Amino acid sequence: MPKIKDKPVAMGRHIIGIYVLSFVLLIFLFYFHWIIGAVMTVLFSVSLYYSIEREKQLVDQTEAYISTLSYRVKKVGEEALLEMPIGIILYGDDYQIEWANPYMNQFTETDSLIGDNLDVLSDDISSYLKDDKETFWLTIDQYDLQVYNKKEEKLLYLFDRTKQTELHTLYQNEKTVLGIIFLDNYEEITQNMDDTAKSQINSQVTSILNNWSNEHEIYLKRTSQERFMAVMNQKILADLEKSKFEILDEVRELITDKNVPLTLSIGIGLGSEGLPGLGELTQSSLDLALGRGGDQVVIKDDNTGKVRFYGGKTNPMEKRTRVRARVISHALKELVKESDQILVMGHKAPDMDSIGASIGVLKIAQANDVEGFIVLDEDDINTGVQRLVDEMKDSEELWSHFIDPDSALDIVTKDTLLVVVDTHKPSLVQEEKLVHKTEHVVVIDHHRRGEEFVDHPTLVYMEPYASSTSELVTELLEYQPSKLSLNMLESTALLAGIIVDTNSFTLRTGSRTFDAASYLRSKGADTVLVQKFLKEDLDIYVKRSRLIENTNIYRGNIAISVGNSRERYGPVIIAQAADTLLMMTGVEASFVISEREDGRIGISARSLGDVNVQVIMEKMNGGGHLTNAATQLDDMAVIDAYEWLKEIIDEYYEGGETE
């Protein structure tokens, strides 16, 4: 091969300059000595001729080399297109394959893809191309392919990443997962048992859990009488999720001699880089499971930041002792005494329970000689609560302790104790800014704990077994200083909260509920006045009846009412309609869907206990209790919400999914 880099392909300017200079010198030489000039002219001519011929030879050699190189490059290019282990596809405007290299034939049963549509490889390709995706992944048979789309050239490059994906999957599957298993009601069940019966329960529970762990290759270690530590990997966790954690049902079927089922709560953490972080994530998951009433699995994935739920299909068992209520009451009293003032706040669109519980907390503040105020937005109350508010306005002493959210923001300090009642979600309180204005926040609630929660609360009293927050607050009142006095209106407001949330003592009612009602009755609570608060106007009754009229029975035992798209109903009417439907013969659960007065779609759900409406509503971004739940939807038509609800109900029954 000629040394092209060492020789020019054309006569350089510097050589031409030398010849021009030489020619000028020859002229001068002829002028002074013509004989020497003639000799030098001959030499000059020979040299010029040689240079020109040599340049011609170099040009010819270069052209020959380039011609050979072009052929070789063309040949290598053709072989690369046809034989390289990369898929190449040229497609047309209609996504028809115009050309594909032979590498692509392994992904189809036909000998050639030319003329076929791209969908012959995967149904997803066309949608990706329509969305102008520059890079995307495809799974074709057992192959995982990364695709680069050259939109202008209508060209696709497909790289086989199957091995890389397999390694990534193997790495993910082997990641450590921690779990904490807690026996929810072990202490209550075994507190009056003799050693023999207690040993038998321990043996049965341990046997069930050991068999379960051996079957799924889980390392299980008992750390206390009611707590186990489980270590597994993400592949094992995926298998457990497919089975919907059947261990919950197995343990629940272990009925004690007192006919009380033992239940499990399992908190699982994954995705955190370090083991300390993984442990904190796991404990947080268990706390969330217990806060939601137990008998369920909560999985927190640090990779996605999402929480998954399984189980929670039974009502939480009512506690047998008042120890926790007494401890919480004492702790709350100490916090009240250390504060400069107390602010009590319920949720938006407050109901009887929210108002009643707020009044109860106000009385706790007054019993400890601390100034207290209830935050209430009068523009955000319904008819039933309005009657209670009107009655309170006649009591100047009580009404003077009610302030609006703006006034609360003006007087709040860092030493103020904020008590949030009947909710634990900052987005639902009367004034969310208040939560961030003070360092001392107490949460008292009877709802199952959701993912959204007040940050760093000072004290939390959440008991999902309770009928209402008013019931919880009433129990706290019983352990306050003896100088505490409830008048008739204050005790009636608390009783109204209990009656409304239990639907007149028919739902979520335990022995503690009647104890609280009895205490309030002894303080002068007027049941006739409660009925006065709960009375409704005739036009509201007619509207609710019209809503109930649009009811159909789904899956044999579920009543679903769908409001007309042109009619709007308040949240109270929607909830009352759901309560009414639950009283119908053969109805195990009821759902009422309607457009609300604020333009959103509201769904109220009720159940007798066999259907967990909480997990159904959580699927629709709502929440609540096993027997009482709701949600609100934005940017959706009533009919679309109805179809979505049916899909989730089908999934609940057929798949058992409670995530």
Side-chain angles (χ1 to χ4, degrees):
M1 184 183 76
K3 296 181 180 180
I4 301 299
K5 293 183 180 180
D6 296 337
K7 299 179 181 179
V9 295
M11 187 177 293
R13 291 181 180 179
H14 62 288
I15 296 178
I16 295 175
I18 291 173
Y19 278 115
V20 171
L21 181 60
S22 300
F23 182 75
V24 173
L25 292 174
L26 281 176
I27 295 175
F28 279 101
L29 194 60
F30 266 105
Y31 179 76
F32 291 105
H33 201 294
W34 68 270
I35 297 175
I36 297 175
V39 173
M40 295 304 296
T41 299
V42 172
L43 294 175
F44 175 81
S45 299
V46 172
S47 175
L48 179 62
Y49 175 78
Y50 175 79
S51 296
I52 292 174
E53 288 298 319
R54 185 57 181 166
E55 290 296 332
K56 286 183 179 180
Q57 291 179 9
L58 286 174
V59 169
D60 292 341
Q61 290 178 2
T62 301
E63 289 178 351
Y65 172 72
I66 291 175
S67 176
T68 304
L69 183 63
S70 176
Y71 169 76
R72 292 175 63 195
V73 169
K74 182 178 179 181
K75 184 177 180 181
V76 170
E78 291 176 354
E79 291 181 355
L81 285 174
L82 297 176
E83 298 181 13
M84 71 166 52
I86 298 174
I88 303 175
I89 294 178
L90 288 170
Y91 62 92
D93 293 331
D94 55 355
Y95 302 116
Q96 192 175 40
I97 299 174
E98 296 179 347
W99 181 85
N101 66 341
Y103 180 80
M104 294 302 304
N105 293 336
Q106 63 182 305
F107 304 118
T108 180
E109 296 179 355
T110 60
D111 294 334
S112 175
L113 291 171
I114 298 176
D116 292 333
N117 194 279
L118 285 172
D119 291 339
V120 74
L121 294 174
S122 173
D123 295 333
D124 299 326
I125 294 184
S126 298
S127 60
Y128 287 135
L129 295 179
K130 289 176 182 177
D131 294 338
D132 294 332
K133 296 278 188 180
E134 294 184 359
T135 305
F136 52 89
W137 287 78
L138 289 178
T139 299
I140 303 177
D141 293 333
Q142 74 273 24
Y143 298 97
D144 293 309
L145 304 174
Q146 187 176 16
V147 183
Y148 291 88
N149 175 29
K150 300 294 183 181
K151 181 181 176 182
E152 299 298 327
E153 295 82 6
K154 292 185 173 57
L155 174 65
L156 298 179
Y157 293 107
L158 296 90
F159 295 86
D160 186 0
R161 303 291 193 220
T162 306
K163 294 294 183 182
Q164 176 184 336
T165 304
E166 289 176 353
L167 287 173
H168 178 74
T169 302
L170 181 62
Y171 168 72
Q172 291 295 329
N173 286 342
E174 293 299 321
K175 276 189 172 182
T176 303
V177 175
L178 288 183
I180 299 177
I181 302 173
F182 186 82
L183 304 181
D184 295 328
N185 44 359
Y186 177 83
E187 183 179 349
E188 287 76 19
I189 288 177
T190 60
Q191 63 181 351
N192 295 322
M193 284 184 177
D194 55 31
D195 291 341
T196 303
K198 189 181 295 186
S199 176
Q200 183 179 2
I201 285 290
N202 281 327
S203 177
Q204 289 176 309
V205 172
T206 304
S207 177
I208 291 175
L209 290 175
N210 282 337
N211 291 337
W212 172 71
S213 63
N214 291 333
E215 178 184 352
H216 295 282
E217 298 183 341
I218 300 170
Y219 174 75
L220 189 69
K221 178 68 176 178
R222 190 166 196 160
T223 58
S224 69
Q225 289 291 336
E226 54 190 8
R227 188 181 292 254
F228 295 79
M229 175 67 74
V231 183
M232 65 193 86
N233 58 37
Q234 290 191 179
K235 183 178 185 302
I236 295 174
L237 177 61
D239 294 336
L240 293 176
E241 291 191 71
K242 288 179 182 178
S243 68
K244 312 300 178 187
F245 287 89
E246 295 175 347
I247 186 65
L248 296 177
D249 300 324
E250 292 181 34
V251 173
R252 196 185 306 116
E253 291 169 1
L254 180 63
I255 306 298
T256 66
D257 57 354
K258 296 184 179 181
N259 292 321
V260 178
L262 191 65
T263 60
L264 293 180
S265 287
I266 304 178
I268 294 177
L270 69 149
S272 181
E273 292 297 329
L275 289 178
L278 196 60
E280 292 177 3
L281 202 63
T282 305
Q283 184 61 54
S284 174
S285 299
L286 180 63
D287 292 342
L288 181 55
L290 295 175
R292 289 164 55 87
D295 188 28
Q296 58 193 282
V297 179
V298 175
I299 304 172
K300 283 192 174 183
D301 189 342
D302 202 38
N303 291 321
T304 62
K306 295 183 178 179
V307 181
R308 303 192 290 275
F309 303 96
Y310 294 89
K313 295 184 178 181
T314 61
N315 266 319
M317 189 186 79
E318 185 178 11
K319 305 299 180 184
R320 296 184 175 220
T321 69
R322 294 176 175 267
V323 175
R324 178 165 168 76
R326 186 174 69 249
V327 171
I328 293 294
S329 182
H330 179 74
L332 181 59
K333 179 176 67 174
E334 295 301 318
L335 288 172
V336 168
K337 288 182 176 180
E338 295 171 1
S339 305
D340 59 0
Q341 62 181 348
I342 309 299
L343 291 179
V344 191
M345 178 171 58
H347 53 74
K348 296 175 182 176
D351 54 12
M352 292 290 190
D353 187 31
S354 179
I355 298 293
S358 298
I359 292 175
V361 175
L362 174 66
K363 297 305 295 183
I364 292 177
Q366 293 175 348
N368 292 279
D369 300 320
V370 178
E371 187 72 18
F373 298 97
I374 298 174
V375 182
L376 178 66
D377 184 358
E378 287 193 70
D379 296 329
D380 191 32
I381 56 179
N382 57 58
T383 305
V385 174
Q386 185 63 56
R387 294 194 184 97
L388 173 60
V389 170
D390 292 340
E391 195 74 26
M392 290 188 297
K393 286 181 179 179
D394 294 335
S395 174
E396 184 177 347
E397 181 182 353
L398 177 58
W399 186 247
S400 64
H401 293 281
F402 280 81
I403 59 176
D404 58 65
D406 291 335
S407 299
L409 287 171
D410 291 336
I411 66 173
V412 66
T413 68
K414 288 187 176 181
D415 294 324
T416 297
L417 179 65
L418 175 64
V419 182
V420 177
V421 297
D422 204 30
T423 185
H424 56 269
K425 298 181 178 181
S427 61
L428 296 182
V429 297
Q430 287 271 312
E431 179 54 72
E432 186 174 353
K433 294 178 182 177
L434 282 173
V435 179
H436 308 292
K437 287 282 187 178
T438 179
E439 298 176 355
H440 310 286
V441 181
V442 173
V443 178
I444 304 176
D445 191 15
H446 71 117
H447 296 100
R448 294 194 180 203
R449 180 169 175 171
E451 187 176 351
E452 182 188 358
F453 199 79
V454 174
D455 289 335
H456 310 298
T458 307
L459 180 67
V460 176
Y461 187 32
M462 291 184 63
E463 297 292 354
Y465 71 85
S467 67
S468 58
T469 310
S470 293
E471 176 189 328
L472 295 175
V473 173
T474 300
E475 290 184 342
L476 298 181
L477 285 168
E478 297 182 48
Y479 298 104
Q480 290 299 310
S482 57
K483 63 180 180 179
L484 170 70
S485 62
L486 282 172
N487 62 32
M488 183 274 295
L489 181 57
E490 293 163 347
S491 57
T492 299
L494 282 160
L495 182 61
I498 295 176
I499 290 176
V500 168
D501 270 28
T502 59
N503 196 14
S504 299
F505 298 102
T506 58
L507 298 174
R508 302 181 304 280
T509 304
S511 61
R512 298 273 288 276
T513 309
F514 289 108
D515 289 342
S518 176
Y519 172 81
L520 295 171
R521 190 74 178 89
S522 69
K523 295 296 182 180
D526 188 348
T527 55
V528 176
L529 185 57
V530 172
Q531 292 304 313
K532 176 184 175 182
F533 294 153
L534 298 181
K535 281 188 176 182
E536 58 185 342
D537 297 332
L538 181 60
D539 59 336
I540 293 178
Y541 181 84
V542 172
K543 285 188 70 175
R544 187 173 73 243
S545 299
R546 192 159 57 243
L547 190 58
I548 294 174
E549 187 179 13
N550 297 331
T551 302
N552 59 78
I553 303 299
Y554 188 65
R555 298 185 72 95
N557 61 352
I558 297 177
I560 303 179
S561 172
V562 183
N564 297 324
S565 58
R566 297 180 301 276
E567 293 187 79
R568 294 188 173 187
Y569 297 86
V572 175
I573 295 180
I574 299 174
Q576 290 174 342
D579 288 329
T580 303
L581 286 174
L582 198 60
M583 300 170 63
M584 302 296 122
T585 302
V587 174
E588 296 291 333
S590 62
F591 297 86
V592 177
I593 310 171
S594 174
E595 187 173 347
R596 290 163 38 116
E597 294 169 341
D598 59 6
R600 307 170 75 191
I601 300 300
I603 304 180
S604 280
R606 299 292 185 270
S607 167
L608 293 176
D610 291 336
V611 179
N612 190 338
V613 294
Q614 177 206 2
V615 297
I616 295 176
M617 289 295 95
E618 284 181 337
K619 285 280 193 177
M620 303 183 77
N621 305 319
H625 285 278
L626 180 144
T627 58
N628 184 335
T631 188
Q632 293 84 45
L633 305 173
D634 294 310
D635 302 324
M636 181 174 289
V638 172
I639 189 63
D640 294 332
Y642 173 59
E643 295 297 331
W644 188 21
L645 174 63
K646 289 197 297 182
E647 291 177 7
I648 294 175
I649 292 174
D650 291 339
E651 185 179 347
Y652 175 84
Y653 274 95
E654 297 168 8
E657 176 66 63
T658 61
E659 184 178 335

